[in-house]
Amino acid sequence: MNLFTYSHAKDAATATAAVTRDAHAAFFGGGTTLVDLMQLEVMNPKSLVDVTSLPLSRIENGPHGGLRVGALVRNSELASDERIRRRYPVLSEAILSGASPQIRNMATTAGNLLQRTRCPYFRDLFSACNKREPGSGCAAQAGFTRVHAVLGTSEKCIATFPGDMPVALMALDAAVRTQKSTGNVRSIPLADFYVGYGEDPARETVLEHGELITAVDLPPTGWMARSSYVKVRDRASYEFALASAAVALDISGGTVREARVALGGIATKPWRSLEAEKALAGARAGEPAWRAAADAALADAKPQKDNAFKIELARRVLVRALTTAASREIA
């Protein structure tokens, strides 16, 4: 058994200071990922700083007419909020497609952003994994790769990002608000939040050690009400995506003026496809445009030996998401 200390933080300054001064400390929120990985001994923090008492559990008006979602808002509350369902349906749909009601009642907004891969080699202490132990190698490269990534991979890692909610947030141009132990606050566009795998698979975000996520800001963009999330998985519930797509469309007079496209289940991070968005801009709304966007989104995909099917699956999922979003009327 690995021993660790446990403390409650009374405010963000106390929490960030406690984690910053201890290289082996971690924040504790819902714990739905962290506790799981601690039980497997994949993660072994020496100190847990509980932040659940901090006033970060509200959904309120954000800058310029958008919404600000506190870092500790539970997934179930966020998915059922009428403002979210009406203005950002893709987000509600993504959350409801993930985990189980019991887990959604515990899981937090910040925790969803920081989910770690479900790669079985990452979770197996007897397998080489550059993400778990940098420099040890990647057992997945020569292993069973059906669930692994086809976008954003490197010679050092092919693990897939597991989340649903962050894929939707990527399509919504969300921004992550954080606070450091110095008191400095920053706003990080979600498109810049995740780190490509490259040379250091163990580094997954741009967060500094001890930097606390305090909220996620959603923009006031009205046309994001015309959005949709589609997820395909091996079973109907409580399962991770083989491929998913989050989209939002600005359509006027039958023409796509602007679009947001993000993919999940097939990449090393929530994958925004600028290529698909470019293909959609100015196109006549309809299946030919949806298929062209899907082809553009997957043009650079590199299958592993067991998952070439994911490329065509992702194309079809994206076409379905675009079709569904385009059919939605907005006020």
Side-chain angles (χ1 to χ4, degrees):
M1 179 177 179
N2 294 305
L3 300 178
F4 59 89
T5 62
Y6 180 85
S7 62
H8 278 272
K10 62 181 181 179
D11 52 43
T14 303
T16 54
V19 175
T20 299
R21 65 172 172 259
D22 184 350
H24 301 289
F27 296 115
F28 181 85
T32 57
T33 293
L34 179 59
V35 171
D36 184 23
L37 293 177
M38 288 177 66
Q39 290 174 334
L40 294 172
E41 298 188 18
V42 171
M43 294 181 68
N44 295 297
K46 303 301 182 186
S47 174
L48 292 182
V49 178
D50 191 320
V51 296
T52 55
S53 296
L54 304 189
L56 303 174
S57 57
R58 296 179 58 189
I59 304 170
E60 52 194 353
N61 293 332
H64 314 296
L67 289 179
R68 175 164 291 170
V69 180
L72 294 174
V73 172
R74 305 294 176 171
N75 284 183
S76 54
E77 179 186 355
L78 184 57
S80 63
D81 186 276
E82 180 57 32
R83 294 163 293 180
I84 298 296
R85 291 164 58 90
R86 183 180 69 255
R87 297 173 61 180
Y88 313 100
V90 63
L91 180 55
S92 180
E93 291 170 358
I95 294 171
L96 292 174
S97 75
S100 66
Q102 294 90 341
I103 291 177
R104 292 195 294 269
N105 285 340
M106 288 295 296
T108 65
T109 300
N112 260 248
L113 291 173
L114 300 176
Q115 285 183 82
R116 307 206 68 189
T117 183
R118 300 292 296 193
C119 172
Y121 302 100
F122 168 72
R123 295 166 66 87
D124 175 19
L125 298 182
F126 298 98
S127 297
C129 176
N130 287 320
K131 182 177 287 293
R132 187 186 66 250
E133 187 178 346
S136 64
C138 176
Q141 302 277 357
F144 183 56
T145 59
R146 181 175 182 269
V147 300
H148 287 78
V150 297
L151 287 170
T153 58
S154 74
E155 293 181 354
K156 295 194 173 184
C157 191
I158 58 173
T160 306
F161 182 84
D164 295 295
M165 189 185 84
V167 180
L169 290 174
M170 189 69 75
L172 292 174
D173 288 338
V176 181
R177 290 184 60 84
T178 68
Q179 181 173 325
K180 300 181 183 181
S181 61
T182 58
N184 291 344
V185 173
R186 63 172 172 162
S187 177
I188 310 167
L190 197 64
D192 300 327
F193 182 74
Y194 294 99
V195 175
Y197 279 8
E199 291 302 307
D200 186 8
R203 183 167 171 76
E204 298 173 340
T205 74
V206 298
L207 291 178
E208 298 174 8
H209 182 69
E211 188 172 6
L212 177 69
I213 296 175
T214 58
V216 171
D217 285 338
L218 300 175
T221 314
W223 54 264
M224 287 182 174
R226 184 178 280 122
S227 60
S228 176
Y229 187 77
V230 174
K231 175 180 179 179
V232 173
R233 45 196 163 175
D234 282 327
R235 58 187 179 189
S237 66
Y238 198 43
E239 183 61 279
F240 296 90
L242 288 172
S244 67
V247 303
L249 293 170
D250 181 8
I251 300 176
S252 178
T255 297
V256 180
R257 297 195 299 188
E258 197 170 351
R260 295 291 182 271
V261 175
L263 300 171
I266 64 167
T268 55
K269 61 182 180 179
W271 194 264
R272 181 168 173 184
S273 178
L274 299 178
E275 297 82 3
E277 293 173 11
K278 182 178 180 181
L280 288 166
R284 189 71 181 170
E287 187 165 338
W290 310 153
R291 293 191 178 279
D295 288 341
L298 279 299
D300 293 330
K302 297 179 180 178
Q304 311 303 321
K305 62 184 178 65
D306 303 309
N307 68 0
F309 75 95
K310 277 194 169 191
I311 298 175
E312 179 58 25
L313 181 62
R315 288 193 184 101
R316 297 186 186 197
V317 167
L318 179 51
V319 169
R320 175 68 65 86
L322 289 165
T323 302
T324 302
S327 69
R328 289 188 164 153
E329 297 295 331
I330 60 175

